Amino acid sequence: MTARAADRARYDRATAHLDAPLAIVDLDAFEANADDLVRRAGGKPIRVASKSVRCRALLERVLARDGFAGLMSFTLAESLWLARSGFDDVLLAYPSADRAGFAELTGDPKLASAVTVMIDDPAQLRLIDEARAGGREVVRVCLELDTSLKLFGGRVRVGARRSPLHSPAQVADLARAVARRPGFEVVGIMAYEGHIAGVGDSLAGRPLRSRAVRLMQAAARRELAERRAEVVRAVRAVAPGLEFVNGGGTGSVQFTAAEDCVTEIGAGSGLYVPRLFDNYTSFSGRPAALFAQPVVRRPGVGVVTVLGGGYPASGAAGPDRLPVPYLPQGLRYDPQEGPGEVQTPLLGSPADDLLLGDKVWFRHAKAGELCERFDTLHLVEGDAVTATVPTYRGEGHTFL
């Protein structure tokens, strides 16, 4: 029996008493992936990206381990909820225009001490001040650096369009703007190199493309390491009390950790290892988060139909944003239908061994987005479900 077949047998036994659709997290794989992240971080703490987990119980579980410290959240409402839930170090990774949230943050000393907000523009400071509604708490601020690689005098850009702050002088100017404005304090710098951490460099059947990606990423790492160090020096001259410099992502942990100026690594998807992380040479992990759909039709030889399953991931639309049929191995989508909102035909010889009610296991393209589809995660250890925990959705929260 192959390892994948053995996993399927375990998951089927563990969930035999449960009807699909359902979602699981294999805790053995989850813990192994956490160990690998810590190993690659080389002693620097990992700040867990909550959007890649979206389950409080699992956030608490991973933060209880050595090597992990703090959360990186994705909305202000989520940040405040997490802080009220007992998480005392929450970095909001994106700027916000949530005026009601800022009024709450600036009026509560516990929230203000636990949550750090992201800015890349002085106008965001004005928005926060206008939203205070009498709140006088000092707002902890993190400055975001644009990590994109600019070539040919800026005519070519590689990387996500995030912060407008690209040069050390630009980031230092914003740090000075914060210092001049009462009620704010610069405590951190963040730089997320998504074109390195979030782009696979080993694409099946595309060796030239894969080599081009590796060459681009090597050049981007060298350029960013030099520029990030200059940014940190420039900001420390303005804000000597700087507490942290955050960088990286699951695909670049070991490279970012090697930079002396970086004090912590941001990562989260590497705990679940969705399908988008199958194409990396820098690391390999174990798929830990899966969902199952039940067989509800047998239209013909070599075909079964499962209920639902059309759960595309965010990003530029394409086949790589679709879930992938994973267990039993050998199933594929009907190219004329793909994964559907209410039914999904699957083709392949393994279909002939599936009966009505049997489970087909899928992997989502991304990590935490799976949790927007399910209220609970069943935690599997060995061949048993040992706990069932709510996702954000299961707790009544869909922050985006």
Side-chain angles (χ1 to χ4, degrees):
M1 182 181 291
T2 66
R4 278 175 64 168
D7 282 341
R8 181 195 174 200
R10 285 197 303 114
Y11 302 150
D12 283 347
R13 285 195 299 271
T15 62
H17 62 296
L18 300 170
D19 288 333
L22 58 82
I24 66 167
V25 170
D26 182 337
L27 287 180
D28 294 333
F30 183 89
E31 298 290 351
N33 294 335
D35 287 339
D36 184 64
L37 286 170
V38 171
R39 177 189 62 79
R40 291 196 288 136
K44 292 188 176 178
I46 298 167
R47 185 180 290 276
V48 183
S50 64
K51 79 179 183 66
S52 300
V53 180
R54 301 193 203 199
C55 170
R56 277 200 303 164
L58 290 175
L59 292 173
E60 291 167 352
R61 184 185 184 97
V62 73
L63 287 176
R65 298 172 54 101
D66 290 340
F68 293 86
L71 293 178
M72 179 182 288
S73 58
F74 57 97
T75 74
L76 181 55
E78 180 212 13
S79 306
L80 300 177
W81 176 66
L82 290 170
R84 288 193 299 268
S85 300
F87 296 95
D88 61 4
D89 181 5
V90 183
L91 169 63
L92 174 56
Y94 304 87
S96 176
D98 180 354
R99 291 176 171 82
F102 284 127
E104 186 176 355
L105 176 70
T106 58
D108 187 319
K110 178 182 176 183
L111 296 178
S113 67
V115 175
T116 301
V117 304
M118 192 67 60
I119 69 165
D120 56 30
D121 188 321
Q124 292 154 354
L125 300 174
R126 293 194 293 273
L127 186 150
I128 295 171
D129 267 343
E130 291 166 0
R132 282 181 180 269
R136 297 181 178 276
E137 297 299 324
V138 173
V139 177
R140 293 167 53 83
V141 165
C142 180
L143 311 178
E144 182 168 2
L145 168 68
D146 170 38
T147 65
S148 63
L149 176 64
K150 296 185 178 182
L151 304 171
F152 305 109
R155 293 189 297 275
V156 174
R157 172 197 178 102
V158 181
R161 295 185 181 276
R162 292 176 61 111
S163 170
L165 307 176
H166 190 80
S167 70
Q170 288 174 313
V171 186
D173 282 346
L174 184 55
R176 279 187 283 270
V178 176
R180 289 193 298 266
R181 198 173 190 102
F184 296 90
E185 179 186 11
V186 174
V187 298
I189 298 170
M190 188 189 85
Y192 171 58
E193 50 265 45
H195 52 302
I196 304 171
V199 177
D201 64 350
S202 180
L203 308 176
R206 304 182 68 182
L208 295 180
R209 170 72 174 175
S210 298
R211 177 163 175 76
V213 170
R214 288 194 290 273
L215 290 172
M216 176 277 292
Q217 290 178 337
R221 287 198 300 269
R222 290 192 296 269
E223 186 276 336
L224 179 59
E226 181 177 338
R227 180 160 53 92
R228 180 156 40 200
E230 293 173 359
V231 166
V232 172
R233 286 193 293 270
V235 172
R236 285 196 185 280
V238 179
L242 199 68
E243 297 174 13
F244 64 86
V245 177
N246 180 282
T250 288
S252 69
V253 170
Q254 63 270 42
F255 303 117
T256 309
E259 296 181 35
D260 290 339
C261 71
V262 173
T263 65
E264 63 176 41
I265 308 299
S269 296
L271 295 167
Y272 286 173
V273 185
R275 66 165 293 198
L276 283 179
F277 285 100
D278 288 348
N279 303 315
Y280 284 72
T281 58
S282 61
F283 84 106
S284 61
R286 292 172 55 183
L290 301 96
F291 66 93
Q293 305 296 118
V295 174
V296 293
R297 301 181 196 256
R298 292 171 50 84
V301 175
V303 186
V304 292
T305 302
V306 299
L307 181 69
Y311 306 155
S314 60
D320 65 337
R321 300 292 145 166
L322 300 179
V324 61
Y326 184 59
L327 302 171
Q329 191 170 359
L331 294 173
R332 65 187 186 279
Y333 293 125
D334 181 336
Q336 297 187 58
E337 294 195 45
E341 179 186 9
V342 291
Q343 72 162 37
T344 298
L346 297 170
L347 312 179
S349 57
D352 295 327
D353 296 323
L354 291 169
L355 305 176
L356 295 182
D358 283 353
K359 296 178 177 78
V360 175
W361 296 90
F362 293 77
R363 294 172 64 200
H364 203 276
K366 286 193 170 182
E369 291 183 22
L370 166 66
C371 295
E372 298 297 332
R373 298 287 183 167
F374 293 92
D375 290 343
T376 59
L377 297 173
H378 301 285
L379 308 185
V380 173
E381 295 184 78
D383 59 359
V385 171
T386 57
T388 297
V389 296
T391 61
Y392 280 13
R393 168 177 155 161
E395 296 200 67
H397 295 289
T398 51
F399 293 108
L400 277 178

